[in-house]
């Protein structure tokens, strides 16, 4: 009996072909949140609860265990880099091994951008870390497989911001402001 | 009051440095406020939650005042502060309108932080979000491609069904633009639109199919994913893509699989594993239940399955997806065998991620080819003894599915042997599974009794009540085995009386059949008589 039910259920499982990441979470070893991005609807309250639950689950896992936790019917793929845990939540049927590569892709890009990235970089420049993430994922899907392209796009946008700052700080602008 | 004060001195001037220094020394409530860096430092320096709350309260008050004064100068910084405060878990809804104002500003820096604030401080359920629709529409038509990109990104991350409907035509148009960066963002944004409003799927299928001819990898991975989403949303789109995209997909996969070293896309010696995986996934969607499609992709699947290097995670991620696809489509039996063999190799991989994934896949594969999975029974059994608890659990579930009349006795023996040495936190699961298996195959009553007695001896405390009740029922209905039972249980009790359930069952038996014990009545051939006067 059980085998028959399992049989039907398993056939159904094959039909799934999604890859969406539901949310991204970066937490420190002490459980401090360094970055969160939610691609599925979660209310503020729900988000706090999720973070607390997952922190408890992941921070207590031993170092030799596999990088996947089953949680609420989803899978959370995580990997530790120095003092930070990078976590991405996916559906139970998605390709966990690929998500490990996506995490690594993100980390390498951050590393190049900040020049040997450390936790402090992500704390004091958290908004920049988000800009980087937004060039890698949209709607929980991968957007660019070339690290060089991501770096180029971020640099171009950073230049636009620098240029605007310079223009605002230029003397003519100050005079214009003062004489308004 | 602030409007009457002079404009702030430029960043590098002495006045500014002095002002900032004064700020550091005493947080002057009438000044323009702290720098972002300083706020973060102050928060980190807080020794108690109350201290942190005080800092946050002070900052929020300053930000609120700036907002109500319509302060232009520190808007950017205040938004950054709001986002940081939000990440700490404090409420920040008073800042939501600021996002809108920043987005509506004309400069790129304002829009950049405004859109980021929007996606962090709001979610799709908030009504305030609707107010952004007009700005989004304008920005989607902006001449600056980066501003278009900001709008597409925000829309793709956060739009509601209503916004999706409103702005779908703009996004459709942007799929045809020349700039690959814009195109890829438009494709992913379309995914969200189709998820929110599946009816719109047919609007995108033509563009999606033709975009498969693109060379830019970022565009390709986004478009392939869009095609997969369209197939899920609409039967018509699925049929359309089956007709128009299979050959293109085969070519994309073949080209990337055969490509020589490309440093920009190389991961562990493989060119763009992400593209490999996405194409494999789309092939699965198209080939499911469709013999024609499945036949078209057969060769390239075999190539990827045999050619891909399996020593790094990237290669294994591709192989994993390839196996999923083979299992999901109408594959030839040769291809299926190839797939299950890959899983068999995965099982012996030193990396426990790979072993875990293999066990999961093998469970799915049971539905497709039980015999093939049976061939790996020995390795699966080894995984029941793995150091990683997630793997042990998975393996045990799989073993349970593999049990049949032919292999039940050797399998059970292995499991019971392992029961003796397994970790305490695993004993409960293992005991339950063994009892379940034995009960299912309890036609051979003698064998059933032997297994149950062993389990009771080793881990009787984990044996559930209904299980040993059933055992007692069986003994009382099997008169030819009652003597054997009471004698075996007596011996077990002598050897180890720590397991409560064992004691219960044994005592019951001795109570019922004590005279058989004393007088060695109805002995079986396999038994040796109990001697000695310990009774």
């Amino acid at each position: 009996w059980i085998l028959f039910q399992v049989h039907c259920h398993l056939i159904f499982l094959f039909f799934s072909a999604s890859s969406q990441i539901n949310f991204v979470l970066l937490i420190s070893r002490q459980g401090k949140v360094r970055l969160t991005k939610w691609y599925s609807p979660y209310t503020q309250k729900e988000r706090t609860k999720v973070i607390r639950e997952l922190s408890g689950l992941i921070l207590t896992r031993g170092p030799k265990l596999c990088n996947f936790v089953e949680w609420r019917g989803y899978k959370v793929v995580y990997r530790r880099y120095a003092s930070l845990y990078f976590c991405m939540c996916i559906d139970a049927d998605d390709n966990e091994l690929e998500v490990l590569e996506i995490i690594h892709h993100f980390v390498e890009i951050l590393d190049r951008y900040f020049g040997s990235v450390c936790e402090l970089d992500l704390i004091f420049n958290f908004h920049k870390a988000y800009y980087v993430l937004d060039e890698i994922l949209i709607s929980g899907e991968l957007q660019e497989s070339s690290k060089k392209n991501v770096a180029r796009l971020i640099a171009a946008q950073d230049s636009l911001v620098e240029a605007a700052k310079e223009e605002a700080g230029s003397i003519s602008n100050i005079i214009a402001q003062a004489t308004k | 009051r602030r409007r009457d004060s002079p404009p702030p001195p430029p960043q590098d001037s002495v006045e500014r440095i002095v002002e900032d220094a004064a700020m550091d020394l005493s947080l002057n409530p009438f000044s323009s406020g702290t720098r972002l860096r300083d706020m973060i430092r102050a928060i980190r320096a807080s020794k108690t939650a109350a201290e942190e709350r005080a800092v946050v309260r002070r900052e929020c008050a300053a930000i609120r005042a700036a907002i109500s004064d319509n302060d232009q100068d520190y808007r950017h910084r205040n938004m950054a502060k709001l986002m940081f405060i939000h990440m700490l878990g404090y409420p920040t809804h008073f800042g939501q309108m600021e996002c809108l104002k920043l987005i509506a500003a004309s400069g790129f820096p304002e829009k950049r932080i405004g859109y980021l604030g929007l996606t962090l401080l709001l979610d799709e359920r908030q009504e305030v979000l609707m107010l952004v629709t007009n700005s989004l529409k304008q920005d989607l038509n902006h001449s600056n491609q980066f501003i278009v990109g900001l709008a597409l990104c925000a829309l793709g991350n956060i739009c509601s069904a209503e916004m999706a409907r409103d702005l779908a035509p703009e996004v459709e148009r942007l799929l045809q633009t020349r700039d690959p960066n814009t195109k890829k963002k438009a494709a992913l944004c379309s995914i969200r639109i189709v998820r929110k409003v599946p009816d719109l799927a047919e609007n995108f299928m033509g563009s999606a199919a033709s975009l498969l001819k693109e060379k830019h990898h970022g565009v390709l991975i986004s478009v392939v994913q869009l095609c997969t989403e369209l197939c899920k949303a609409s039967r018509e789109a699925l049929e359309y893509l089956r007709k128009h995209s299979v050959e293109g997909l085969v070519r994309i996969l073949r080209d990337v699989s055969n490509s020589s070293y490309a440093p920009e896309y190389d991961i562990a010696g493989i060119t763009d594993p992400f593209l490999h995986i996405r194409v494999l996934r789309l092939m699965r969607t198209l080939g499911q239940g469709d013999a024609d499609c499945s036949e078209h992709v057969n060769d390239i699947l075999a190539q990827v399955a045999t050619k891909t290097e399996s020593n790094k995670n990237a290669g294994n991620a591709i192989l994993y997806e390839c196996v999923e696809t083979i299992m999901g489509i109408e594959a030839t039996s040769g291809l299926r065998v190839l797939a299950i063999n890959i899983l068999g190799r995965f099982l012996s991989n030193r990396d426990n991620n790979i072993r875990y994934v293999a066990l999961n896949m093998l469970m799915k594969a049971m539905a497709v080819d039980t015999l093939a999975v049976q061939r790996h029974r020995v390795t699966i059994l080894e995984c029941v003894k793995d150091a990683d608890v997630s793997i042990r659990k998975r393996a045990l579930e799989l073993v349970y599915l593999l049990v049949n009349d032919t292999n039940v006795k050797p399998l059970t023996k292995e499991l019971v042997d392992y029961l003796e040495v397994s970790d305490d936190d695993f004993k409960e699961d293992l005991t339950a599974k063994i009892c379940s298996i034995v009960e299912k195959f309890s036609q051979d009553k003698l064998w059933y009794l032997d297994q149950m007695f062993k389990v009771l001896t080793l881990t009787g405390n984990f044996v559930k009540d209904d299980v040993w009740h059933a055992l007692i029922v069986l003994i009382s209905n099997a008169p030819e085995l009652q003597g054997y039972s009471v004698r075996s249980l007596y011996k077990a009790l002598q050897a180890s009386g720590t397991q409560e359930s064992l004691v219960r069952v044994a005592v019951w038996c001795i109570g019922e059949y004590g005279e058989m014990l004393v007088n060695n009545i109805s002995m079986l051939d396999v038994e040796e008589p109990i001697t000695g006067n310990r009774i």
Side-chain angles (χ1 to χ4, degrees):
Chain A
W1 276 117
I2 301 168
L3 276 177
F4 177 73
Q5 284 167 14
V6 166
H7 185 97
C8 290
H9 179 61
L10 290 176
I11 297 274
F12 175 72
L13 280 180
F14 280 133
F15 283 21
S16 152
S18 87
S19 62
Q20 191 199 8
I21 291 164
N22 298 315
F23 57 82
V24 176
L25 183 60
L26 261 68
I27 43 178
S28 73
R29 260 190 317 172
Q30 289 79 32
K32 291 256 160 74
V33 175
R34 297 304 178 206
L35 187 149
T36 60
K37 190 89 181 188
W38 305 81
Y39 299 106
S40 292
Y42 284 84
T43 63
Q44 275 302 104
K45 236 191 196 162
E46 285 164 354
R47 293 179 190 191
T48 320
K49 191 154 183 266
V50 165
I51 293 171
R52 208 174 338 127
E53 272 179 38
L54 280 179
S55 302
L57 221 62
I58 290 174
L59 295 174
T60 52
R61 271 174 81 80
K64 298 233 175 86
L65 299 183
C66 64
N67 295 88
F68 319 123
V69 244
E70 282 148 43
W71 169 79
R72 291 197 196 175
Y74 295 102
K75 268 198 281 235
V76 179
V77 181
Y78 71 95
R79 197 185 232 156
R80 183 173 158 191
Y81 291 85
S83 58
L84 278 175
Y85 287 81
F86 283 69
C87 315
M88 293 191 179
C89 173
I90 52 175
D91 290 342
D93 305 315
D94 292 347
N95 187 336
E96 315 85 315
L97 301 182
E98 193 205 12
V99 177
L100 270 177
E101 291 302 326
I102 294 179
I103 290 177
H104 198 68
H105 189 56
F106 181 30
V107 170
E108 287 216 306
I109 293 172
L110 283 174
D111 203 43
R112 284 186 210 188
Y113 179 65
F114 286 106
S116 239
V117 67
C118 65
E119 194 180 337
L120 278 178
D121 288 321
L122 298 182
I123 295 171
F124 284 95
N125 290 296
F126 66 96
H127 50 305
K128 296 192 179 165
Y130 277 109
Y131 292 145
V132 170
L133 183 59
D134 279 344
E135 288 299 333
I136 298 172
L137 295 175
I138 286 182
S139 192
E141 302 283 356
L142 189 67
Q143 171 186 172
E144 181 58 71
S145 48
S146 157
K147 302 191 214 323
K148 198 167 98 176
N149 271 346
V150 174
R152 204 173 40 83
L153 290 166
I154 299 278
Q157 292 174 84
D158 284 348
S159 302
L160 280 182
V161 172
E162 280 312 305
K165 255 196 219 164
E166 278 181 28
E167 206 197 290
S170 74
I171 298 184
S172 50
N173 227 294
I174 295 173
I175 294 174
Q177 288 269 33
T179 55
K180 249 203 281 204
Chain B
R1 206 168 173 271
R2 209 165 288 110
R3 257 164 282 169
D4 293 330
S5 58
Q11 284 281 24
D12 296 315
S13 76
V14 178
E15 290 109 298
R16 175 58 79 86
I17 293 171
V18 169
E19 201 179 80
D20 283 357
M23 219 95 73
D24 285 348
L25 293 172
S26 71
L27 285 166
N28 182 346
F30 296 115
S31 76
S32 50
T34 56
R35 294 177 303 182
L36 170 66
R37 202 176 329 152
D38 297 323
M39 180 192 83
I40 297 178
R41 268 201 223 117
I43 287 173
R44 282 167 61 79
S46 307
K47 294 193 194 63
T48 62
E51 245 180 84
E52 183 186 281
R53 276 198 303 272
V55 176
V56 170
R57 215 178 303 131
R58 198 169 55 225
E59 292 289 346
C60 285
I63 296 172
R64 268 187 225 259
I67 290 175
S68 66
D69 276 355
N70 209 12
D71 183 293
Q72 307 279 338
D73 304 319
Y74 295 105
R75 230 187 216 164
H76 196 282
R77 183 169 88 181
N78 287 343
M79 180 53 56
K81 285 183 180 177
L82 272 172
M83 292 193 287
F84 190 86
I85 290 171
H86 177 88
M87 206 162 38
L88 292 173
Y90 296 93
T92 50
H93 12 262
F94 62 90
Q96 286 174 4
M97 289 302 291
E98 273 301 283
C99 297
L100 271 61
K101 284 193 224 152
L102 281 162
I103 289 169
S106 58
F108 176 79
E110 287 73 25
K111 286 186 190 284
R112 197 187 199 196
I113 201 145
Y115 275 120
L116 182 63
L118 188 79
T119 58
L120 292 184
L121 302 184
L122 279 84
D123 63 72
E124 66 188 77
R125 283 178 279 207
Q126 257 128 4
E127 284 164 21
V128 178
L129 198 55
M130 286 301 301
L131 300 174
V132 193
T133 313
N134 211 31
S135 294
L136 276 169
K137 198 176 206 156
Q138 285 184 9
D139 285 342
L140 288 171
N141 287 296
H142 208 280
S143 53
N144 181 336
Q145 51 174 270
F146 290 110
I147 291 181
V148 176
L150 290 176
L152 282 170
C153 181
L155 195 61
N157 283 335
I158 203 181
C159 79
S160 60
E162 225 179 303
M163 287 164 77
R165 242 184 237 285
D166 278 346
L167 297 168
E170 313 297 326
V171 180
E172 266 180 78
R173 188 184 45 80
L174 287 167
L175 278 174
Q176 308 301 333
T177 189
R178 267 210 329 231
D179 175 40
N181 176 43
T182 307
K183 250 194 290 227
K184 75 191 190 199
K185 290 180 157 69
L188 293 183
C189 189
S190 308
I191 290 181
R192 186 171 175 104
I193 290 176
V194 166
R195 282 188 186 142
K196 290 287 163 192
V197 191
D199 291 342
L200 293 174
E202 281 105 43
N203 296 22
F204 292 96
M205 61 191 193
S207 317
S210 64
L211 282 167
L212 287 173
K213 299 191 194 73
E214 291 280 323
K215 293 297 167 206
H216 188 281
H217 283 229
V219 174
L220 273 178
I221 60 177
S222 307
V223 167
V224 169
Q225 197 53 46
L226 173 60
C227 289
T228 310
E229 205 62 41
L230 292 175
C231 292
K232 282 200 288 185
S234 146
R235 180 96 216 159
E236 197 188 321
L238 174 61
E239 292 305 332
Y240 181 86
L241 287 166
R242 271 190 179 141
K243 237 190 294 194
H244 291 95
S245 64
V246 182
E247 282 177 32
L249 286 173
V250 172
R251 198 192 42 228
I252 293 171
L253 189 52
R254 198 174 42 226
D255 287 349
V256 77
S257 177
N258 291 337
S259 101
S260 49
Y261 177 65
E264 193 174 340
Y265 296 103
D266 186 273
I267 294 181
I270 301 173
T271 305
D272 206 340
F274 301 117
L275 180 56
H276 277 81
I277 289 170
R278 264 152 199 71
V279 172
L280 285 167
R281 202 173 280 148
L282 179 53
M283 285 176 172
R284 175 155 85 254
T285 307
L286 295 175
Q288 240 154 26
D290 189 295
D292 228 10
C293 255
S294 301
E295 205 197 303
H296 264 101
V297 299
N298 193 82
D299 287 350
I300 188 61
L301 288 179
Q303 180 185 316
V304 172
T306 43
K307 210 191 115 184
T308 309
E309 291 279 334
S310 163
N311 50 3
K312 287 277 163 64
N313 185 63
N316 288 321
I318 294 174
L319 285 171
Y320 179 29
E321 196 73 39
C322 192
V323 167
E324 287 246 34
T325 297
I326 293 172
M327 291 287 136
I329 64 174
E330 313 293 304
T332 59
S333 63
L335 210 50
R336 291 230 170 101
V337 168
L338 197 54
I340 302 226
N341 287 345
I342 291 174
L343 292 181
R345 277 201 329 262
F346 272 16
L347 274 186
S348 323
N349 195 305
R350 279 181 313 154
D351 184 343
N352 42 7
N353 289 337
I354 308 293
R355 291 204 300 282
Y356 176 85
V357 147
L359 288 169
N360 264 335
M361 269 268 37
L362 281 168
M363 278 187 67
K364 292 189 196 176
M366 288 287 292
V368 172
D369 193 340
T370 323
L371 272 171
V373 180
Q374 284 282 0
R375 266 179 237 128
H376 298 280
R377 202 174 58 240
V378 175
T379 331
I380 296 170
L381 213 39
E382 280 310 301
C383 290
V384 174
K385 307 173 192 168
D386 201 283
D388 183 335
V389 60
S390 314
I391 291 177
R392 286 204 298 267
K393 284 199 167 134
R394 279 266 160 276
L396 186 58
E397 277 178 50
L398 189 48
V399 163
Y400 184 72
L401 289 177
L402 285 173
V403 171
N404 58 32
D405 290 314
T406 340
N407 62 30
V408 64
K409 288 191 182 168
L411 266 179
T412 309
K413 178 175 188 314
E414 290 272 349
L415 292 177
V416 172
D417 285 347
Y418 180 55
L419 192 56
E420 216 168 338
V421 298
S422 66
D423 283 345
D424 281 342
D425 52 356
F426 193 49
K427 279 195 159 97
E428 185 168 352
D429 280 341
L430 195 46
T431 304
K433 275 295 187 306
I434 295 173
C435 291
S436 187
I437 291 172
V438 197
E439 212 228 327
K440 225 169 25 159
F441 294 88
S442 54
Q443 300 88 342
D444 184 342
K445 293 183 188 155
L446 182 57
W447 176 80
Y448 166 75
L449 289 176
D450 277 339
Q451 304 315 306
M452 284 309 302
F453 296 157
K454 275 204 204 102
V455 172
L456 281 171
T457 313
L458 290 171
T459 57
N461 288 338
F462 292 114
V463 175
K464 299 255 158 39
D465 287 346
D466 54 336
V467 171
W468 60 261
H469 290 173
L471 171 62
I472 286 179
V473 166
L474 186 135
I475 295 175
S476 39
N477 290 331
E480 73 283 9
L481 293 172
Q482 283 158 1
Y484 176 72
S485 300
V486 71
R487 285 185 288 272
S488 308
L489 286 168
Y490 177 75
K491 286 185 203 155
L493 211 51
Q494 281 190 313
S496 141
T498 57
Q499 301 295 317
E500 197 180 304
S501 304
L502 172 66
V503 174
R504 283 216 187 105
V505 175
V507 165
W508 178 85
C509 261
I510 293 170
E512 289 291 308
Y513 313 116
E515 126 192 338
M516 293 190 187
L517 174 62
V518 175
N519 298 320
N520 282 324
I521 293 177
S522 62
M523 278 191 57
L524 302 179
D525 295 333
V526 294
E527 288 190 72
E528 282 177 22
I530 294 183
T531 54
N533 43 16
R534 281 310 204 91
I535 298 165

